[in-house]
């Protein structure tokens, strides 16, 4: 799992979709994972997905799910 500050060569190198949630955080789909990013600190916390792609995890924690290039 990945948590950290976004830098110019940082975590979200393949962002495919960005939105803002009800709490004002950016939610970013990047690679096969989804991150929640603080707009105050630019701290990115992985909230769903794994490094590997796939389709698995129904009924389990989102952080353990396998996603295939989420976007939207």
């Amino acid at each position: 799992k990945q948590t950290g500050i976004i830098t110019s060569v940082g975590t979200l190198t393949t962002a495919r979709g960005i939105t803002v949630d009800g709490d004002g955080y950016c939610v970013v789909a990047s690679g096969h994972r989804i991150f929640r990013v603080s707009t105050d600190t630019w701290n990115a916390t992985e909230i769903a997905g794994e490094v590997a792609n796939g389709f698995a995890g129904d009924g389990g924690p989102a952080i353990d799910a396998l996603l295939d290039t989420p976007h939207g």
Side-chain angles (χ1 to χ4, degrees):
K1 308 302 173 216
Q2 200 168 33
T3 299
I5 304 299
I6 298 174
T7 65
S8 60
V9 294
T11 307
L12 308 176
T13 57
T14 58
R16 297 184 187 278
I18 299 173
T19 190
V20 177
D21 70 11
D23 294 326
Y25 287 85
C26 288
V27 180
V28 182
S30 179
H32 306 297
R33 299 175 288 179
I34 299 175
F35 294 86
R36 188 174 192 219
V37 181
S38 166
T39 56
D40 293 329
T41 64
W42 296 109
N43 187 47
T45 302
E46 184 178 351
I47 60 173
E50 293 280 345
V51 174
N53 70 321
F55 298 101
D58 290 355
I63 197 72
D64 295 332
L66 293 180
L67 307 174
D68 188 8
T69 319
H71 60 282

